[in-house]
Amino acid sequence: MRLLTVIAQKGTKMICWGDMDTTIRQIRAREILDSRGNPTIETEVELAGGSRARASVPGGASTGQHEAKEARDGDPARFGGKGVQHAIAGIHTTIAPALAGMDALEQRAIDGCMLELDGTAQKERLGANAILSVSLAVARVAAQALRLPLFRYLGGVGMHRLPCPMFNLINAGMHSDAPIDFQEFMIVPRGISNFSEALRCGSEVFHALGEALRSKGFSTAVGDEGGYAPALRSAQEVLDMLLTAICRAGYRPGEEVFLALDAAASTFYDENDRRYHLRKSGNKALSSAELITLYAELVEGYPICSIEDGCAEDDWEGWSQLTRALSKRCMLVGDDLFVTNPLFLQRGIEQGIANAILIKPNQIGTLTETLDTMQLATSHAYTTIVSHRSGETIDSFIADLSLLSPFIKAGAPSRGERLAKYNRLLEIASIKQCPHYQHPTS
Ligand code: PGA
Ligand code: ZN
């Protein structure tokens, strides 16, 4: 689209006609490193009118089996096989020529074109990492050409609420060497109705927790998502430490601040014996029913408002039992279960499984499909949580996206790649045109 812009002097005399042409002129990609020092992709899109913007994509560690596939070179001589040079070549030789001349405002057509070029169910030809980096950069450059903040471009005038942050303060599972199988222990300041106060709470509890751990002789080194990784022995011990920290920081657990878990249960499920092997903590093997009993005890004893991936991605029977047992008590969030894919979510809706979904754009690989999944979830009363990955960049796209959602999960308030998201939300909160922001308290 060609937008004619007029810059007027003193309201009347025209001094310049600028041509804001949103036709895609050039796409350039490069290999950069993520927060774990692994290669990832950064893509820059330039429009005929001169606007330019870039986006980079994250990578997971506990990736779902049904996620869209990242393209990795597999050359052991570079980055242990994790290089992304082929994916970048695909952007330059296949994607860029096809998108050149298209209108950056036509996000759905652009994403559709990339899906056609790829032609595979899990985007393994061009790679979800390549496709998503272009998809996000196109949205950002379109917003820029229109002189809109990204969140306004994505959601229009309806974007008037900031999300409630979920801070992952203890990193275990595959994200640290802590001897606990559940991957994440979060605090959720749901009872604090202002984003910047909720972020302050996250920071104060994080520091109180550091003090509490140090005073008991535990390590305060942090894991992949910025949370501590102490040698605590059980989920209960971790939850007790979190309650102590919340109180020491001066907040009321269960009123202002709640707890949340991401068990990431696919990472310790064995399909052969259909049991959950808690190898890091005591080497126990639990059936789905026993694991659900453990969750029920935790929910009984602690102010837990959310359990993510409580069962494994292929244990739909376990998920069904879990939903029957706890869906009235807390959010049951499908991450590896739904992989931000409308087809998996549809199956969950039909079978009455889970009541919330994690939204990770790189699990599905385009912005359009991400938005479709969010819309499907919302229209069936599934709560959405926009989420980072454990391997991140300083790109803050998901912060803008999270205004479409009641929650954002972006790690602890520690490490630059995590703070990039929370600080962007502070910036959004301070943009004058935006009304007062509140997140839901129920
Ligand atoms: P991942 O972990 O990015 O390593 O997959 C995040 C999560 O499971 O929520
Ligand atoms: Zn998860």
Side-chain angles (χ1 to χ4, degrees):
M1 184 168 78
R2 295 168 81 84
L3 295 172
L4 289 178
T5 58
V6 179
I7 298 174
Q9 197 178 38
K10 300 213 165 132
T12 50
K13 194 179 154 208
M14 285 174 204
I15 55 165
C16 168
W17 285 82
D19 183 3
M20 295 286 281
D21 190 337
T22 53
T23 308
I24 294 175
R25 180 158 68 196
Q26 197 170 48
I27 300 179
R28 272 192 240 103
R30 60 183 80 92
E31 189 175 60
I32 62 166
L33 299 187
D34 70 15
S35 57
R36 281 193 279 248
N38 291 325
T40 187
I41 303 174
E42 178 174 77
T43 294
E44 185 166 279
V45 177
E46 187 180 321
L47 304 184
S51 298
R52 264 194 219 180
R54 58 176 72 164
S56 55
V57 295
S62 59
T63 44
Q65 211 181 301
H66 306 289
E67 290 189 21
K69 300 281 179 234
E70 292 176 324
R72 298 275 177 197
D73 297 339
D75 171 5
R78 291 188 77 249
F79 296 109
K82 293 191 172 139
V84 290
Q85 287 183 328
H86 284 118
I88 285 169
I91 294 176
H92 292 147
T93 59
T94 306
I95 296 178
L99 300 193
M102 289 184 80
D103 185 347
L105 300 182
E106 298 290 344
Q107 185 77 40
R108 190 165 285 268
I110 285 166
D111 288 344
C113 176
M114 289 194 283
L115 293 187
E116 251 176 58
L117 289 172
D118 180 81
T120 67
Q122 281 184 289
K123 302 182 177 67
E124 56 257 42
R125 182 165 168 247
L126 293 169
N129 45 353
I131 294 172
L132 184 68
S133 72
V134 176
S135 182
L136 300 184
V138 164
R140 188 173 267 141
V141 78
Q144 195 174 303
L146 296 177
R147 308 213 169 147
L148 285 173
L150 180 57
F151 71 92
R152 274 266 174 270
Y153 176 67
L154 295 175
V157 291
M159 296 291 244
H160 63 94
R161 250 181 9 182
L162 284 180
C164 176
M166 301 175 80
F167 299 109
N168 178 10
L169 297 193
I170 299 279
N171 296 187
M174 291 178 78
H175 293 164
S176 82
D177 297 326
I180 306 160
D181 296 274
F182 295 170
Q183 181 177 276
E184 302 176 15
F185 294 83
M186 291 169 269
I187 61 157
V188 188
R190 271 182 20 164
I192 297 173
S193 61
N194 171 291
F195 178 79
S196 53
E197 290 301 301
L199 181 54
R200 177 165 77 93
C201 166
S203 164
E204 290 172 356
V205 175
F206 177 72
H207 291 294
L209 179 61
E211 280 301 308
L213 289 170
R214 203 172 294 117
S215 70
K216 293 200 151 125
F218 290 107
S219 159
T220 52
V222 299
D224 286 356
E225 297 188 352
Y228 301 112
L232 293 166
R233 296 270 147 210
S234 66
Q236 285 89 339
E237 270 188 40
V238 174
L239 296 171
D240 286 337
M241 283 301 277
L242 286 174
L243 288 183
T244 303
I246 292 166
C247 293
R248 283 203 194 159
Y251 295 94
R252 294 188 301 277
E255 284 176 56
E256 290 170 306
V257 185
F258 293 77
L259 303 174
L261 304 175
D262 178 5
S266 307
T267 60
F268 51 87
Y269 181 64
D270 185 337
E271 274 166 28
N272 299 316
D273 65 3
R274 305 182 66 199
R275 293 176 92 77
Y276 291 89
H277 292 262
L278 304 178
R279 292 198 178 84
K280 281 179 137 193
S281 35
N283 216 11
K284 284 171 270 180
L286 304 182
S287 65
S288 309
E290 288 165 339
L291 185 61
I292 292 163
T293 303
L294 172 59
Y295 294 138
E297 283 165 14
L298 293 177
V299 168
E300 206 50 57
Y302 298 89
I304 291 174
C305 68
S306 175
I307 299 175
E308 182 182 327
D309 278 354
C311 288
E313 59 202 343
D314 291 326
D315 183 12
W316 284 70
E317 181 45 43
W319 262 104
S320 168
Q321 289 172 28
L322 176 63
T323 309
R324 282 198 300 274
L326 290 176
S327 64
K328 300 221 162 30
R329 303 286 299 272
C330 60
M331 290 201 290
L332 298 173
V333 187
D335 171 14
D336 292 350
L337 179 74
F338 293 141
V339 290
T340 316
N341 186 322
L343 298 176
F344 286 88
L345 176 59
Q346 188 62 48
R347 185 174 159 199
I349 291 165
E350 280 158 20
Q351 297 185 18
I353 279 173
N355 58 20
I357 176 173
L358 210 70
I359 300 292
K360 293 168 164 171
N362 83 325
Q363 280 182 325
I364 185 72
T366 64
L367 176 60
T368 300
E369 291 165 290
T370 305
L371 294 171
D372 286 350
T373 304
M374 291 176 82
Q375 204 162 37
L376 180 66
T378 306
S379 64
H380 288 86
Y382 276 60
T383 304
T384 57
I385 302 170
V386 169
S387 170
H388 68 161
R389 300 304 304 247
S390 50
E392 265 294 337
T393 74
I394 54 167
D395 191 305
S396 60
F397 195 104
I398 59 160
D400 287 67
L401 183 65
S402 74
L403 267 79
L404 286 169
S405 173
F407 293 95
I408 183 170
K409 174 176 113 153
S414 138
R415 297 181 57 140
E417 75 281 0
R418 312 296 146 186
L419 268 313
K421 282 66 168 172
Y422 296 130
N423 285 339
R424 169 63 184 156
L425 284 166
L426 284 181
E427 185 186 3
I428 292 172
S430 72
I431 293 177
K432 274 208 186 64
Q433 308 93 296
C434 300
H436 186 65
Y437 285 100
Q438 293 214 328
H439 63 69
T441 48
S442 60

